[in-house]
Amino acid sequence: MIDEEMIRDKLYEEFIKPTNQKKNFIGVEIEIPIINLDKKAVDFDVVHKITDKFQKQYPDFQDNGIDYDGNVFAIKNPKTDDIVCYDCSYNNIEFAMGREKDLFSINDRFGEYYSFVKESFEEYNHTLTGMGINPYRKYNEYDPIPSERYLMLYHHLKSYNNYEDIPMHFHEFPEYGMFSSASQVQLDVYRDDLVKTINVFSKIEPIKALLFSNSVLIDENKHVTCFRDALWEYSTHGVNPHNIGMYDVDFKDLNDLQSYLESLNIYCVMRDGAYINFQSMNVLDYFSKDYVCGEIYSNGEYRKMEVKPLINDIKYLRPFKFINLTFRGTVEFRSVCTQPIKDSMSVAAFHLGLKDKLDELDELISNDEVIYHKGYTASELRKLLIQDELPAFVDRDGLCKLSKDIVDLASVGLEERGIGEEIFLKPLYGRIRNHVNPGKNIITLLNNNTNIEDVIEEYGKLGNI
């Protein structure tokens, strides 16, 4: 048994202490579905050929992850810290751009990599597109990348039948990480601003849903513009609702935030380079035990194994909140779907522009009576605003004005940086003016009998600034 004070100290050291330094970098990660235009499963041999071709074109990229079959699933450029990898399976590619001071540098390198990879895939009648759920998911094979982490993760998600005495239902898509894609942003947030950043950004998650939703579960649920939310919430990651989704509380100070960290669940640790899975449990409960019974993957199968909790296991505490604290001292915003490729930088621009406008943003929300102060929490509002039809109590024009006021505030924040990054917000104004988002647009197009192939092509275009 480990003393609770030691656990609290370790949580502080891992999650909060790294924010003591004042920095101002931006990190962007963009996950993108791979599509076989022959309406067959993505050909993984083609994927491996493209990886090899990319390394020949960009020799600074070095192997950063090799699966059990000897295939490279991650490559990294040590000069820029850019990583090109496959996320969960070889059906998704991810461009994790090394941190930068400005969005133009990130956009230039992302555009170059994306163009090369997309053109290379098209030689094999495959392509890439900017959609949060793979529109050809029904054709794909769902095998996790044969690596320690991804085998563990899929095993955890498949274990939902083992949770019999909890008051929640699970969806039947444990492979959802292999067909859903996100656009994530990491910003350096100083410790003194941490609580306010989480509190204020949490309140605008409904507006973000309205602006950025782009995850339609085609053929199964064409009325929800951001089905990704449900895929996380009703999976084994959501056994403890504190591990996913929004913060439905206002933190008073860092002590409150610390208490929230203590309420999270842990579901895996590593020993001797191998992951051990166990049923998701509260982190304090985990450390109160002498041993925990888990499963370890060995020689193609799982076997039971007891593990003794160690204080350094805190580093395996991995919540998937919409707003996450990371071990790097950054705040990660992860509720936004992958966007149409030409609009990719709008996500980072939106968050970056608002980062230093928290007081003004809070005042906007506090004074709003269009959706806020109507008896709904921000979490409930987000659930309502990811539907393709607005609820009756919402004034459509008022909601557009509120959305525009928030984007205007982000634009001011970017203008004050003096670099010109506000140009990346331009797509959001079009969405507000036309009362659409990418997900709603997909639903409308499909209802009007537009071919999904036309949507795939349009959402995959890179475009120009």
Side-chain angles (χ1 to χ4, degrees):
M1 181 183 295
I2 296 173
D3 178 76
E4 286 193 11
E5 192 62 36
M6 186 184 296
I7 300 167
R8 292 189 178 98
D9 289 346
K10 190 66 173 175
L11 284 167
Y12 181 90
E13 179 184 321
E14 294 288 343
F15 286 99
I16 298 176
K17 186 179 178 181
T19 63
N20 285 350
Q21 300 179 38
K22 284 191 175 180
K23 300 174 291 182
N24 198 26
F25 287 101
I26 312 154
V28 172
E29 300 172 18
I30 302 173
E31 302 162 1
I32 299 173
I34 302 170
I35 293 168
N36 185 341
L37 293 171
D38 290 330
K39 295 186 178 181
K40 297 178 181 177
V42 170
D43 187 334
F44 293 168
D45 286 338
V46 167
V47 172
H48 302 318
K49 288 176 183 177
I50 302 304
T51 307
D52 184 61
K53 183 178 178 181
F54 187 94
Q55 285 186 281
K56 287 183 171 64
Q57 177 72 16
Y58 299 99
D60 286 338
F61 278 83
Q62 302 170 5
D63 292 354
N64 197 51
I66 299 176
D67 70 20
Y68 293 156
D69 296 330
N71 296 307
V72 176
F73 67 86
I75 53 179
K76 181 176 181 178
N77 183 338
K79 296 178 181 178
T80 61
D81 283 339
D82 293 342
I83 298 174
V84 178
C85 60
Y86 298 95
D87 185 58
C88 293
S89 79
Y90 289 111
N91 295 308
N92 291 337
I93 190 167
E94 177 179 329
F95 299 90
M97 309 305 296
R99 66 180 192 169
E100 287 287 353
K101 291 281 190 178
D102 72 282
L103 286 177
F104 289 103
S105 298
I106 293 173
N107 184 63
D108 288 347
R109 296 205 307 275
F110 167 71
E112 183 179 348
Y113 301 155
Y114 176 82
S115 295
F116 180 84
V117 172
K118 185 171 185 287
E119 289 171 9
S120 298
F121 269 115
E122 286 174 350
E123 293 175 10
Y124 298 91
N125 210 33
H126 285 54
T127 194
L128 307 180
T129 194
M131 299 172 77
I133 289 182
N134 191 321
Y136 275 14
R137 64 184 180 85
K138 65 183 179 183
Y139 304 118
N140 283 341
E141 296 175 359
Y142 291 108
D143 299 315
I145 293 172
S147 70
E148 194 64 37
R149 169 157 174 73
Y150 290 122
L151 286 170
M152 174 279 296
L153 187 58
Y154 189 41
H155 187 63
H156 170 60
L157 290 168
K158 285 194 302 181
S159 70
Y160 62 91
N161 286 325
N162 297 336
Y163 294 86
E164 298 177 347
D165 300 318
I166 58 173
M168 71 174 287
H169 75 273
F170 295 97
H171 61 65
E172 297 184 355
F173 302 105
E175 72 283 359
Y176 73 87
M178 307 183 207
F179 66 73
S180 65
S181 303
S183 179
Q184 298 164 0
V185 182
Q186 292 197 27
L187 299 177
D188 288 315
V189 175
Y190 183 54
R191 182 189 58 188
D192 293 354
D193 300 322
L194 204 51
V195 167
K196 183 182 289 187
T197 298
I198 293 173
N199 285 343
V200 177
F201 269 101
S202 291
K203 293 173 185 176
I204 63 165
E205 285 294 345
I207 300 300
K208 287 167 60 177
L210 201 68
L211 292 171
F212 295 109
S213 287
N214 189 28
S215 296
V216 180
L217 196 68
I218 296 170
D219 296 332
E220 298 214 26
N221 191 321
K222 286 199 297 184
H223 302 289
V224 176
T225 58
C226 185
F227 201 80
R228 281 183 63 256
D229 286 9
L231 292 173
W232 286 91
E233 182 174 354
Y234 301 110
S235 74
T236 52
H237 286 313
V239 168
N240 177 355
H242 278 201
N243 275 49
I244 48 89
M246 294 171 58
Y247 300 91
D248 279 325
V249 294
D250 256 5
F251 297 123
K252 183 178 68 175
D253 51 30
L254 286 175
N255 289 329
D256 269 9
L257 180 56
Q258 174 88 25
S259 295
Y260 199 94
L261 293 174
E262 293 165 19
S263 76
L264 298 173
N265 275 24
I266 187 170
Y267 63 89
C268 69
V269 295
M270 288 192 93
R271 295 291 183 268
D272 299 322
Y275 274 106
I276 301 164
N277 271 106
F278 43 83
Q279 282 214 350
S280 180
M281 67 179 72
N282 172 258
V283 67
L284 296 182
D285 289 342
Y286 170 75
F287 286 113
S288 73
K289 300 179 182 299
D290 293 325
Y291 289 92
V292 172
C293 183
E295 292 181 299
I296 187 169
Y297 182 78
S298 178
N299 296 323
E301 60 183 17
Y302 286 89
R303 60 179 175 84
K304 299 290 185 183
M305 179 178 179
E306 285 195 333
V307 58
K308 180 179 177 62
L310 303 174
I311 190 62
N312 284 335
D313 290 341
I314 289 288
K315 65 184 177 183
Y316 302 110
L317 178 63
R318 299 187 181 202
F320 295 98
K321 303 293 294 180
F322 284 174
I323 304 173
N324 245 4
L325 286 175
T326 76
F327 299 148
R328 294 179 289 274
T330 62
V331 171
E332 181 181 52
F333 300 93
R334 46 178 297 115
S335 65
V336 175
C337 315
T338 292
Q339 298 297 287
I341 299 302
K342 63 183 173 58
D343 302 338
S344 291
M345 291 302 127
S346 65
V347 183
F350 178 83
H351 291 90
L352 180 63
L354 292 174
K355 185 182 104 165
D356 295 324
K357 294 293 178 183
L358 297 177
D359 290 333
E360 297 93 327
L361 182 57
D362 198 25
E363 185 177 358
L364 266 178
I365 300 305
S366 298
N367 293 330
D368 173 71
E369 294 186 356
V370 177
I371 57 172
Y372 299 98
H373 311 293
K374 296 283 189 180
Y376 294 92
T377 65
S379 183
E380 290 166 339
L381 286 170
R382 182 171 170 103
K383 282 181 166 63
L384 292 172
L385 295 184
I386 61 172
Q387 308 294 321
D388 64 339
E389 296 291 339
L390 292 176
F393 75 87
V394 175
D395 174 69
R396 185 176 171 131
D397 291 333
L399 184 56
C400 283
K401 183 181 184 308
L402 174 62
S403 301
K404 183 176 182 299
D405 287 345
I406 291 173
V407 177
D408 281 345
L409 187 60
S411 184
V412 171
L414 293 172
E415 287 168 11
E416 290 176 355
R417 285 167 55 83
I419 307 173
E421 294 158 315
E422 60 273 12
I423 195 171
F424 293 115
L425 296 174
K426 185 178 179 181
L428 303 186
Y429 286 106
R431 296 176 190 181
I432 293 168
R433 186 169 55 251
N434 296 318
H435 303 280
V436 297
N437 57 46
K440 191 169 184 178
N441 192 45
I442 290 172
I443 293 170
T444 300
L445 289 169
L446 294 182
N447 286 341
N448 291 334
N449 298 316
T450 300
N451 290 329
I452 189 61
E453 290 73 28
D454 293 335
V455 181
I456 290 170
E457 181 181 1
E458 182 61 31
Y459 278 43
K461 290 178 180 177
L462 185 60
N464 298 308
I465 298 176

